[in-house]
Amino acid sequence: MMTGFRLNLSPLKEPLGFVKLVEWLTAIFAFGSCGGFSGRNILSLFCGDGMNETLNANFHYPFRLSQVPLVDGNTTICNHSVTTTHMMGDSASAAEFFVGIGIVCFLYSMVALLVYLGYMHVYKDSDFGPIFDFVITAILVFMWLVCSSAWAKGLQNVKDATDTEGIGASLALCKGGNITCEVTNFANMRTLNISVVFGYLNMFIWAGNAWFVYKETHWHSQKFSSQPGPGRQQVPAPI
């Protein structure tokens, strides 16, 4: 059996290779739309004496909000002395998990495409290749479900922590007196919402791809060959 590289683009015309190319692209959109995010909410403080002040709430990936200073250093706001104050919340674990799975799927899709296009003759001549491919694909389907669900919850936590109520809870000035706090300018989180959509989309695409990979394994071929064909009858053994 020859094991050298032999370029063959025909797998891209079949579901096995074409869907893997789609997975490669959707993985890029998933982790790229989350990992590259940076936004700013503007908190307006109405001091009650005719003075208004603003604070910038800057946040970005991986969304460790508890380490983001809302007020950096001792300062005076609405005639009140305010010490260093940080935002509340931490969605870093969910965001990094989501991006990490996206990068793993991006790399695995590249390796799988290399095998399909250059070593398909080796892939189909052995049982190990298709079975390994199927097992990894099935695991990644589950991982996409878990990381997308975790990031969807983490994103909601980010939204809650950066709205008027969330920021107001971290700033003592907003908890009483005649000072009113309100977020008047919200960061555009459309790309973060898109990242969640691509996360679940990846799950469905990888689940569909699992079927085409399964058809390459000997499990499927044995099951197919063991089924009697239409119109076939078993002939009793001669006595």
Side-chain angles (χ1 to χ4, degrees):
M1 180 180 65
M2 297 183 62
T3 59
F5 180 84
R6 283 191 267 168
L7 181 61
N8 181 11
L9 299 180
S10 59
L12 290 178
K13 302 177 183 178
E14 301 174 359
L16 181 67
F18 178 76
V19 176
K20 192 64 68 178
L21 179 61
V22 173
E23 291 172 347
W24 180 74
L25 292 173
T26 53
I28 295 176
F29 287 120
F31 72 77
S33 57
C34 176
F37 179 83
S38 179
R40 180 181 65 180
N41 284 4
I42 296 179
L43 179 69
S44 297
L45 296 91
F46 305 97
C47 302
D49 56 358
M51 294 180 55
N52 298 332
E53 299 196 31
T54 59
L55 293 175
N56 294 326
N58 299 296
F59 55 99
H60 53 81
Y61 175 85
F63 307 104
R64 289 189 176 90
L65 302 181
S66 59
Q67 298 180 10
V68 177
L70 185 62
V71 178
D72 194 5
N74 296 332
T75 186
T76 300
I77 301 176
C78 293
N79 297 322
H80 290 74
S81 179
V82 181
T83 59
T84 300
T85 305
H86 294 82
M87 300 173 65
M88 300 176 62
D90 189 342
S91 297
S93 58
E96 290 175 338
F97 181 37
F98 180 82
V99 170
I101 293 300
I103 293 175
V104 168
C105 290
F106 166 76
L107 296 176
Y108 182 74
S109 298
M110 289 181 61
V111 174
L113 281 172
L114 176 64
V115 173
Y116 294 165
L117 300 181
Y119 298 94
M120 182 57 79
H121 54 290
V122 179
Y123 180 87
K124 289 191 173 182
D125 284 344
S126 66
D127 293 334
F128 174 78
I131 291 176
F132 177 82
D133 195 11
F134 174 72
V135 171
I136 296 298
T137 301
I139 292 174
L140 291 176
V141 172
F142 177 72
M143 298 305 291
W144 272 120
L145 172 62
V146 174
C147 75
S148 298
S149 301
W151 171 229
K153 180 61 170 63
L155 176 56
Q156 186 58 52
N157 292 339
V158 172
K159 292 179 179 179
D160 293 340
T162 55
D163 64 8
T164 298
E165 184 177 350
I167 297 178
S170 62
L171 195 60
L173 287 176
C174 302
K175 297 180 180 179
N178 60 346
I179 301 175
T180 302
C181 302
E182 181 181 355
V183 175
T184 54
N185 192 357
F186 288 88
N188 189 343
M189 297 190 184
R190 186 180 296 113
T191 57
L192 297 182
N193 295 329
I194 290 175
S195 70
V196 174
V197 173
F198 269 106
Y200 286 110
L201 178 62
N202 270 284
M203 181 193 70
F204 287 113
I205 294 175
W206 282 79
N209 183 236
W211 165 248
F212 296 110
V213 177
Y214 172 72
K215 290 175 65 176
E216 299 295 327
T217 66
H218 71 274
W219 299 330
H220 178 266
S221 59
Q222 288 178 352
K223 180 181 178 181
F224 183 80
S225 61
S226 64
Q227 294 177 350
R232 293 182 182 177
Q233 296 182 354
Q234 293 184 349
V235 179
I239 300 176

